[in-house]
Amino acid sequence: MSSKHEKWILLLWGTSLSLLYLILHTYMSVQLQPHPPQKKMVTVGNVHSETVPQRQTCKPETLSDFQDTDFYRTIIDNNLFHPLGWTPPRPQEPYRLLGTIIPTDAKTPPKAIIQDSAGNQTYIVTIGDTLDTDTHVTDIQTKHITLKKNGQQRQLTLKSSFLNLP
């Protein structure tokens, strides 16, 4: 026999031993793992069913409690079944800043002109005024004002197309 055939035979023999080792190793690792206890079958009439112990589950109180958890927030925001190109709706600001009036003398307080998002009402407010039951004006600057609602502050910025009144 030539040395070329001997090399092929040795290669096939080594490969078969490696495959045999992998098969035996996988078989033995499965056999040595502890098996779960067998479940008892209950027969009622001609229906067989397993007896399943009652599990205690931690359920959120409402659907909104489930949606507010940070763990599930990514799944909810990036839902697989949304249409392509879908983006979550951004919360709309209920008020829009139309202009500010910053006086030159210290006796006159600064004022801001604010319109609600529906466009139904326009307010002229100073620092400390309330827009609705929870929203208060805390600061008025040249191009923005600060509103406080339920302890959280947010700013309304003047759009560049609007002018400030002197």
Side-chain angles (χ1 to χ4, degrees):
M1 218 188 261
S2 69
S3 65
K4 185 177 182 183
H5 288 116
E6 289 175 2
K7 288 180 183 178
W8 277 108
I9 291 172
L10 286 174
L11 181 66
L12 288 174
W13 184 74
T15 307
S16 63
L17 280 179
S18 298
L19 284 173
L20 181 63
Y21 171 76
L22 282 173
I23 292 169
L24 285 174
H25 178 70
T26 306
Y27 177 75
M28 292 305 290
S29 64
V30 169
Q31 290 298 321
L32 294 176
Q33 287 181 354
H35 294 289
Q38 294 289 330
K39 295 182 179 179
K40 296 179 183 179
M41 296 295 288
V42 176
T43 305
V44 177
N46 59 356
V47 177
H48 302 288
S49 65
E50 297 177 356
T51 58
V52 179
Q54 294 293 327
R55 289 189 287 169
Q56 294 179 347
T57 57
C58 180
K59 293 183 181 178
E61 297 296 323
T62 63
L63 183 60
S64 63
D65 293 342
F66 170 77
Q67 292 174 342
D68 288 338
T69 59
D70 292 335
F71 183 77
Y72 297 108
R73 184 83 268 156
T74 301
I75 298 170
I76 293 167
D77 290 343
N78 303 313
N79 189 345
L80 179 64
F81 301 104
H82 283 303
L84 291 176
W86 181 86
T87 56
R90 290 186 291 159
Q92 186 179 9
E93 181 65 42
Y95 300 105
R96 186 173 86 169
L97 180 62
L98 296 178
T100 58
I101 303 170
I102 308 295
T104 55
D105 62 342
K107 294 178 182 177
T108 309
K111 295 181 181 180
I113 304 169
I114 300 173
Q115 183 181 34
D116 65 354
S117 60
N120 297 338
Q121 257 186 323
T122 303
Y123 304 97
I124 298 177
V125 294
T126 61
I127 297 174
D129 288 352
T130 58
L131 295 172
D132 55 33
T133 57
D134 297 333
T135 307
H136 305 283
V137 179
T138 58
D139 188 30
I140 299 176
Q141 297 297 322
T142 306
K143 297 198 180 232
H144 64 85
I145 67 166
T146 306
L147 301 176
K148 186 173 185 179
K149 181 175 183 174
N150 297 331
Q152 293 182 339
Q153 291 187 349
R154 65 181 191 273
Q155 285 189 349
L156 296 180
T157 306
L158 190 62
K159 305 289 184 207
S160 62
S161 62
F162 294 107
L163 300 174
N164 289 349
L165 302 174

